[in-house]
Amino acid sequence: MVVIVTGGTFGIGRSITLELAGRGHKVVAFGVEARQVSSVAENAIPGLREELARRGHDAEVLEADVTRAEEVQRVVDVAVQRFGRIDALVNNAAIGPLGTVLDTDEALWDRIMAVNVKGPYLCARAVLPHMIRQGSGSIVNVGSGAGYGKPNMAAYAASKGAVHTLTMALAYDHFHDKVRVNTVIPGGGGIVSGMSLGRVCGDESSFGRGAPGTAAGRVATGEDLARAVAFLLSEDATAISGTVIDVGCFAHQGGPIPQKPRA
């Protein structure tokens, strides 16, 4: 299977890239090397290439911006030229500055919407013709619990709500094309990403404090999310489309998770 992973060079995206490549998929991962607003991710491509080579995985790692149609098309062209087809797309790239509408100026609002909403649109538009011709394909969008609404995340929440509904619209529109579209949501606290580290000034030791954790008795990891993505792309999920898999914690769907009773 040939899979394109956006934002696939750092954090959750890196975990997805390594997981899929480790399962034998041909992966084309891309991201930007410059640090983005509210994120600590930068200059991640060399390290990812080294790790992929160390593990003996077959992958292409590129620098490209999901908000630029010509750069997205370049990634798609590389995937087709190197591997001959495109079977799947994982829309993971996102930025998540905090703030209310009063704290968020127009330029920042536009940038969040460009990366988090326009990016998945441009990528889906670029890969869908290939999937439709093949008569099969799978798109997985990485959503957020903020997509249901959370405080101090006005622009980010609005963008992720759009991603959730875009998933459903795509699933409807391409049902008869046999292109499946689903959403995964990271939760439970603890997943390290450029965005999450940026929100705590890069202090990884603060992760998991006070978090509800997961049913596994620990906080969630990028690998947990990556395995859910791998499932949705697999033959085991060929009948699944238009759904949301919440990986780690469902508190934001109606919680909160109650505290564990004391003995």
Side-chain angles (χ1 to χ4, degrees):
M1 179 182 291
V2 180
V3 187
I4 293 175
V5 181
T6 79
T9 60
F10 193 91
I12 291 174
R14 186 179 193 272
S15 296
I16 293 169
T17 295
L18 292 172
E19 181 71 27
L20 296 180
R23 292 177 181 238
H25 300 311
K26 311 300 184 184
V27 179
V28 178
F30 74 95
V32 292
E33 289 287 79
R35 183 179 293 199
Q36 300 296 294
V37 59
S38 81
S39 175
V40 300
E42 62 181 339
N43 302 321
I45 288 176
L48 176 58
R49 284 176 175 158
E50 289 174 8
E51 183 62 20
L52 287 162
R54 187 186 70 80
R55 299 187 187 192
H57 297 337
D58 191 7
E60 187 80 42
V61 183
L62 306 170
E63 181 171 12
D65 185 338
V66 293
T67 70
R68 298 181 178 274
E70 67 277 11
E71 296 190 21
V72 170
Q73 189 59 54
R74 175 170 58 85
V75 172
V76 170
D77 291 343
V78 168
V80 173
Q81 289 164 8
R82 179 168 179 187
F83 299 118
R85 59 187 290 130
I86 299 172
D87 299 293
L89 166 68
V90 181
N91 279 315
N92 167 74
I95 58 174
L98 300 177
T100 69
V101 293
L102 297 177
D103 303 325
T104 307
D105 63 33
E106 186 176 354
L108 179 57
W109 179 279
D110 288 345
R111 182 60 184 169
I112 294 168
M113 294 300 164
V115 175
N116 298 5
V117 185
K118 182 182 178 182
Y121 150 73
L122 288 176
C123 292
R125 189 178 69 166
V127 304
L128 276 166
H130 297 274
M131 296 177 176
I132 292 168
R133 279 196 299 270
Q134 293 160 189
S136 65
S138 179
I139 298 173
V140 177
N141 296 321
V142 178
S144 169
Y148 300 108
K150 280 189 175 181
N152 201 36
M153 294 185 178
Y156 179 68
S159 72
K160 286 301 185 177
V163 169
H164 294 181
T165 52
L166 177 62
T167 294
M168 307 308 171
L170 287 168
Y172 277 122
D173 288 342
H174 301 287
F175 182 91
H176 295 294
D177 297 318
K178 297 183 180 178
V179 176
R180 301 180 296 106
V181 191
N182 294 288
T183 295
V184 292
I185 295 178
I191 296 183
V192 175
S193 68
M195 181 193 307
S196 59
L197 282 173
R199 289 172 177 169
V200 294
C201 301
D203 181 12
E204 191 171 331
S205 67
S206 68
F207 278 75
R209 292 178 188 170
T214 71
R218 56 168 174 76
V219 295
T221 67
E223 288 72 26
D224 290 324
L225 193 81
R227 286 190 285 267
V229 171
F231 163 69
L232 287 171
L233 298 182
S234 75
E235 291 293 316
D236 293 333
T238 53
I240 301 175
S241 190
T243 195
V244 176
I245 293 183
D246 191 332
V247 180
C249 174
F250 56 90
H252 46 257
Q253 292 188 27
I257 299 294
Q259 293 293 322
K260 183 178 181 179
R262 296 182 179 179

